[in-house]
Amino acid sequence: MDRISTWLWRYRGRVFAGFLALVVVDGATLVMPLVVGRAVDDLATGRQHLVQYGLWILGLAFVALVLRYVWRLLLIGTSRRIERALRAKLYAHLLSMPASFYNEMRTGDLMAHATNDIDAVTGACGWGLITIIDPLVMIPVSLGIMLSIDVRMTLYAAIPLPILTVVMLTFGKVIHRRFERVQEAFSALMEKVRENVSGIRVLKSFAQESGSERDFAPTNQRLVDENMSLVRVHGVFHPLIELLGGATLAIILWVGGASVTRGQVSLGNFVAFAQYLSMLIWPMIAVGQAVSFLQRGSASLQRINVLLALPAEIAETASPQPLEGSSLEIRDLTFVYPGAEEQASPALSNVTVRVEEGATLGVVGLTGSGKSTLAHLIPRVFDPPDGTVLLGGVDVREIPLGELRAAIGFVPQDPFLFSATIAENIAFGRPDAEREEIERAAELAGIHDEIAAFPDGYETRVGERGLSLSGGQKQRVAIARALLCDPKIVVFDDPLSAVDAEREEVILTNLRQFFRGRTCILIAHRLSAVKEANHIIVLDKGRLVESGRHDELIARGGIYARVWALQQAERKVESL
Ligand code: ADP
Ligand code: MG
């Protein structure tokens, strides 16, 4: 399991070079008061080497300037590299997760991991590291030099230090807690905005803008309140630190001033001493920050690690078997969704059916009867139990995933189009496809004419940041996408539900050409769509209740026959 240190070690070259630059800058900063002290002593004794000292100070400042740039680039740059690598790793992992993972995980939480948690790790690897190293050099060296100037003065100066430590620790805790609350309030606000913006159409159609606005106000106010509570501690904390700094300086003036007049400490050393004292304050604060940076970073990395440790993709089989035939066999399949174990009845119960190679299976049933569930189990979007779903006589769990999915052309019930051109959306499974092939697939799916009529034809952008397609258009683009991959097995989940009955019939007639020689699972809510299928099954609450050919089912006079009569009557009414 990776820790912050593991990540830093991977970039050790840059980190050590950055450290080196940081330490040299600290060195230059630490020499500066000594030079100033010398200059003051020279002034007091009337010697005039001021130009020389001035040049020294300029030189040191220049070295500090250059190397500060270098360490910032190296150390902050490394934290950004770690950020990129960690985010890429997390993203790749999320892509490899099975659908069941997304079934149980909330999008908001995943977003938080990908943003806030990664930010916290970046913070720990960048500023967290710097705020450890810097004080580690600055505090002991400053104290050492101060002791060498005057032990008594150093001890007096140290009197307010314990108070400073107590102040830092208590305030550090309070600031940390309030900062977390600000973050939470911010996430809540983001979630609210996201939800209302994605649901804006529903919101408007129910004229709920004012309600949403009222609902938004407290969330908005909470963020301000939490931020103000943070501002208030900061408002006390910073002046308090300054006050303590002032107090040490006052003590030094009393105690040290006396030593100077008595001639025990030179004026220059006194000035240098005062400078070291004020230089100590920042590193003292930095130590407190380092602790909080590292705590947050390692807590966040822990959360990311938990995600990364989840087993990726549905396990690949240990004994892969090539997919040869394309007959489909479902054997006594009972399926319960992960996370839905509490539910009264499984999504599918004891379903058994066989589809010969090249044949078409029609699947019908009411909403919620398990049709889509069945469709998802074939390409293993969800994993079926062992030995229940077989393709070409081989358990789908034994077939290498890449091979399995390449063989199946799956059109989900609610297809998704990416923010890209229509052509890119159709060629999604085969980015190398020729334009002609894309158009042929679109033609077969009955959408070519409509695409051609779009402003930019096949180059029209669709999805989030483009033209919105109707449900029926999206479905047909998804069909074209599946056809283009030339699959051996076709799984269509009610792919024309949003198209009118006449158009559905025309498209299906065209598609039958394509279906020839391929094994087809055709789900439909309109029975006319599956009328020609070699075999039809009727699902009800996850159970297979009727099966046979169209005329057999009609003759049987069960659910299928009743629904058929109803739908025929509806069409007559519609055509009046
Ligand atoms: P259909 O496609 O026939 O309308 P589904 O297969 O979508 O039916 O749903 C069958 C049952 O499984 C329903 O009770 C539904 O609530 C449940 N279900 C569907 N998808 C999920 C899911 N991702 N997680 C948990 N339960 C689900
Ligand atoms: Mg469905």
Side-chain angles (χ1 to χ4, degrees), residues 415-434:
F416 182 82
L417 299 191
F418 293 92
S419 287
T421 66
I422 297 240
E424 284 163 343
N425 265 294
I426 295 179
F428 184 68
R430 265 189 58 204
D432 60 315
E434 303 282 334

Side-chain angles (χ1 to χ4, degrees), residues 103 337 340 343 347 366-373 382 413:
N103 215 28
Y337 275 99
Q343 257 168 31
L366 298 175
T367 308
S369 57
K371 304 184 298 292
S372 297
T373 306
F382 287 93
Q413 187 172 2

Side-chain angles (χ1 to χ4, degrees), residues 15-206:
V15 170
F16 285 126
F19 277 178
L20 208 63
L22 184 60
V23 170
V24 175
V25 170
D26 283 348
T29 320
L30 285 165
V31 175
M32 209 93 79
L34 285 180
V35 179
V36 175
R38 283 282 183 78
V40 170
D41 279 343
D42 268 18
L43 265 181
T45 54
R47 269 175 291 165
Q48 300 288 331
H49 295 297
L50 290 182
V51 175
Q52 201 180 322
Y53 289 123
L55 285 177
W56 260 102
I57 288 177
L58 267 182
L60 287 172
F62 185 72
V63 169
L65 174 129
V66 172
L67 290 181
R68 233 179 227 131
Y69 178 75
V70 171
W71 72 244
R72 206 175 250 268
L73 231 57
L74 286 172
L75 295 180
I76 299 297
T78 302
S79 76
R80 293 297 177 194
R81 275 159 206 265
I82 292 175
E83 174 181 4
R84 180 186 58 196
L86 185 59
R87 189 171 281 134
K89 189 169 169 178
L90 182 63
Y91 185 64
H93 188 68
L94 287 179
L95 286 183
S96 77
M97 295 309 283
S100 56
F101 166 81
Y102 293 96
N103 215 28
E104 288 166 84
M105 201 69 186
R106 286 192 320 189
T107 314
D109 290 341
L110 288 179
M111 292 304 290
H113 288 308
T115 54
N116 295 348
D117 279 340
I118 291 200
D119 277 350
V121 175
T122 313
C125 293
W127 285 110
L129 196 61
I130 294 162
T131 45
I132 295 178
I133 300 304
D134 210 30
L136 225 52
V137 179
M138 294 297 280
I139 295 177
V141 178
S142 306
L143 276 179
I145 299 177
M146 283 161 74
L147 280 171
S148 77
I149 291 175
D150 193 286
V151 177
R152 207 169 62 101
M153 249 162 59
T154 312
L155 292 181
Y156 274 104
I159 292 174
L161 282 187
I163 308 175
L164 189 68
T165 315
V166 172
V167 167
M168 295 247 319
L169 287 179
T170 36
F171 273 81
K173 261 195 216 118
V174 176
I175 287 175
H176 180 64
R177 209 164 43 230
R178 296 196 180 181
F179 179 78
E180 300 264 275
R181 285 221 299 271
V182 168
Q183 289 276 303
E184 271 165 37
F186 182 71
S187 307
L189 185 78
M190 290 304 289
E191 184 59 24
K192 191 130 242 157
V193 172
R194 193 194 60 74
E195 191 181 300
N196 284 337
V197 169
S198 15
I200 192 79
R201 293 206 178 90
V202 181
L203 208 110
K204 283 194 176 291
S205 58
F206 284 85

